[in-house]
């Protein structure tokens, strides 16, 4: 049995120009990276500090962000946290550029951190390869796989059906939507705002408390989730990447 949520069917990736945002204050690296990404067919936006990077991310909705750790003013980790906390950018994949290998523990270990990192100096080819790999991973996730398997859980989106150890469990539409979002993003913190927007919609005017109430009901109906949906500080929730007890 599989422990991690697994997409069982993938539609083929579409061949459209991806938008990439590169946030880096070192001009040489910025120009070199931009040149290589353009050559690979990306539409490139750049920013030379964290505040400009955040503004560009909110405005342009890039498909992926390359973010330097050492930036003047607001550093890369701070930028990353702000990206994760904003529902417009919370799920945008981020690859972090770091100067020293020892910083990487902190970056990948951080709950609100980057999806991947690359240590300087790196070759532009490697950066492009990493970004493409990251896009493949996240686009698979976004293209609405029909089924997710997590331990003894099996969720079928198209049939709107949840089975636990092969027995059907009745969920309300909102409970089902919440579980679907968590299964789609294992190991990632989803803020209450992100969940509200994804499940209830942008025009819903309820409070974020609504999310807590529904997560509690979901756990009551599916005891296997009790220890696997984690509450993260005051932010929101995340599903353990691997099922535990
Ligand atoms: Ca820098």
């Amino acid at each position: 049995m599989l422990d991690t949520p697994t997409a069982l069917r993938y539609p083929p990736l579409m061949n459209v120009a991806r938008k990439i945002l590169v946030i880096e204050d070192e001009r040489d690296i910025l120009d070199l990276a931009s040149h290589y990404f353009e050559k690979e067919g990306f539409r490139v936006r750049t920013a030379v500090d964290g505040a400009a990077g955040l503004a560009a991310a909110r405005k342009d909705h890039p498909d992926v962000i390359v973010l330097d750790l050492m930036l003047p003013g607001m550093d890369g980790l701070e930028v990353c946290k702000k990206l994760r906390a904003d529902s417009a950018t919370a799920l945008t994949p981020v690859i972090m550029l770091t100067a020293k290998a020892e910083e990487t523990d902190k970056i990948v270990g951080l709950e609100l951190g980057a999806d991947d990192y690359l240590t300087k100096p790196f070759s532009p080819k490697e950066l492009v390869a990493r970004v493409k790999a990251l896009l493949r991973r996240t686009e698979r996730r976004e293209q609405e796989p029909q089924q997710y398997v997590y331990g003894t859980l099996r969720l079928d989106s198209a049939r709107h059906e949840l089975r636990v150890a092969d027995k059907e469990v009745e969920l309300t539409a909102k409970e089902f939507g919440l579980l679907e979002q968590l299964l789609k993003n294992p190991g990632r913190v989803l803020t209450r705002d992100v969940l509200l927007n994804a499940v209830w919609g942008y025009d819903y005017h309820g409070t974020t408390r609504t999310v807590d109430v529904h997560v509690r009901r979901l756990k009551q109906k599916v005891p296997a989730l009790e220890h696997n949906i984690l509450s993260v500080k005051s932010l929101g929730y995340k599903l353990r990447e691997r099922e535990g007890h």
Side-chain angles (χ1 to χ4, degrees), residues 24-26 29 68-72 120:
E24 164 68 276
D25 61 311
E26 284 161 78
I29 296 177
D68 187 33
L69 178 63
M70 299 297 285
L71 291 167
K120 292 178 183 176

Side-chain angles (χ1 to χ4, degrees), residues 61-111:
H61 305 288
D63 297 295
V64 60
I65 297 172
V66 174
L67 174 61
D68 187 33
L69 178 63
M70 299 297 285
L71 291 167
M74 195 192 305
D75 73 9
L77 286 179
E78 196 56 40
V79 173
C80 202
K81 277 189 207 164
K82 289 196 192 310
L83 288 169
R84 292 296 179 245
D86 183 333
S87 58
T89 54
L91 301 179
T92 308
V94 173
I95 182 163
M96 190 87 86
L97 304 179
T98 74
K100 288 182 298 217
E102 57 263 36
E103 283 165 348
T104 55
D105 286 354
K106 196 166 75 176
I107 292 153
V108 291
L110 257 172
E111 282 173 327

